[in-house]
Amino acid sequence: MTLILDADDLVGVLDYPTAIEAVEGAFRDLGSGKVVMPVRLTIRVEAHEGVSAFMPAYLPGKDQLGIKVVSAFGRNREKFGLPTVIGSILLLDAKSGMPMAIVDGTYVTAVRTAAASAVATKYMAREDASTLGIFGSGVQGETHLLAISEVRRLDGAVVNSRDPKRCEDFCERMSKKTGIKVRPGRPQQVAESDIVVTATTSKTPVFDGSWVKRGTHI
Ligand SMILES: NC(=O)c1ccc[n+]([C@@H]2O[C@H](COP(=O)([O-])OP(=O)(O)OC[C@H]3O[C@@H](n4cnc5c(N)ncnc54)[C@H](OP(=O)(O)O)[C@@H]3O)[C@@H](O)[C@H]2O)c1
């Protein structure tokens, strides 16, 4: 029987330390040639300003086989009240090809993406990096704050996004959730942080590169 897991099933079991460790392990397996992972296929859905990416992988050593489909439809929030990025995962039995599970991939992708940034931050940011600047107060703004606070001791975070009210609400909610002082700021203040996250859907630059300090991790 195929198991069906939705986001509620995952929220309680996939925490950030687990995700960061899993992503680091996956990068290591990939780097040491233990993963069969064809280049992802993408389909542009021009009529609806979207793109869907199809990403299969097979881990022979672990007998794991599956595919994740992730779509990014930039106007989902305003048109349907849906997330910009939506994912689904199909896991197959590597011995027979039988479908084992269909798993919500939206939460997994939101956490996994930030976990990858946390792995990069763990190894590449300065040890004493303590201020985080985030462009974007959406899904990735949130998951990046949660993931990066696992790998560096943050004194505070400053956030900039388009709609000031949404940005303020985000800062208030995330301050309560993390215990870190999260406040809205101007683009230059965000860019001057020790670690900078760019998590917007903007198609044009959101800050001037000359504002970035030497030694910043982006
Ligand atoms: N969600 C995922 O799992 C995931 C995974 C991989 C990659 N990504 C990529 O990460 C990026 C962010 O995705 P998301 O899911 O976080 O999107 P989201 O929830 O829709 O949030 C997008 C954020 O970008 C802000 N923004 C848009 N244009 C801006 C501008 N010109 N200046 C400043 N802020 C601006 C928005 O501001 P307002 O709040 O004012 O609208 C919003 O806060 C996208 O490029 C997406 O493709 C997302």
Side-chain angles (χ1 to χ4, degrees):
M1 205 177 77
T2 308
L3 187 65
I4 297 184
L5 299 175
D6 65 21
D8 291 340
D9 297 318
L10 303 173
V11 171
V13 289
L14 180 62
D15 60 19
Y16 283 86
T18 308
I20 292 166
E21 198 185 324
V23 168
E24 186 172 341
F27 282 146
R28 196 168 287 124
D29 283 352
L30 182 65
S32 43
K34 293 181 183 160
V35 181
V36 180
M37 194 175 75
V39 174
R40 71 179 186 180
L41 278 175
T42 57
I43 294 179
R44 292 205 169 276
V45 188
E46 305 234 340
H48 304 288
E49 298 167 57
V51 60
S52 293
F54 299 77
M55 299 174 274
Y58 170 45
L59 283 74
K62 295 181 177 159
D63 247 355
Q64 292 170 348
L65 175 66
I67 183 165
K68 185 173 84 163
V69 182
V70 171
S71 300
F73 282 64
R75 295 183 56 212
N76 261 3
R77 217 159 17 103
E78 62 189 87
K79 274 164 68 180
F80 309 117
L82 287 172
T84 304
V85 174
I86 296 181
S88 329
I89 299 166
L90 174 62
L91 295 176
L92 305 176
D93 181 349
K95 294 182 185 68
S96 66
M98 276 295 286
M100 304 273 290
I102 298 171
V103 184
D104 171 278
T106 303
Y107 177 71
V108 172
T109 302
V111 174
R112 183 225 72 89
T113 303
S117 296
V119 174
T121 305
K122 177 176 162 185
Y123 289 105
M124 293 192 268
R126 289 195 321 257
E127 282 296 332
D128 63 352
S130 62
T131 57
L132 174 65
I134 306 176
F135 289 98
S137 57
V139 170
Q140 284 302 315
E142 170 163 350
T143 56
H144 272 74
L145 174 55
L146 295 171
I148 288 171
S149 63
E150 294 289 339
V151 295
R152 283 296 178 276
R153 190 182 294 274
L154 298 178
D155 292 339
V158 55
V159 182
N160 180 269
S161 60
R162 225 170 10 187
D163 177 338
K165 174 78 173 82
R166 264 175 60 84
C167 188
E168 271 168 34
D169 291 349
F170 173 89
C171 291
E172 201 180 312
R173 183 165 54 80
M174 294 310 294
S175 293
K176 281 195 193 123
K177 192 164 180 173
T178 60
I180 296 166
K181 188 166 168 33
V182 185
R183 61 182 175 86
R186 285 180 288 106
Q188 184 160 357
Q189 291 171 312
V190 175
E192 286 173 350
S193 305
D194 296 340
I195 301 167
V196 176
V197 169
T198 56
T200 76
T201 44
S202 177
K203 291 192 168 58
T204 54
V206 293
F207 65 96
D208 181 336
S210 70
W211 295 336
V212 175
K213 293 183 302 185
R214 212 176 157 72
T216 300
H217 175 67
I218 303 191

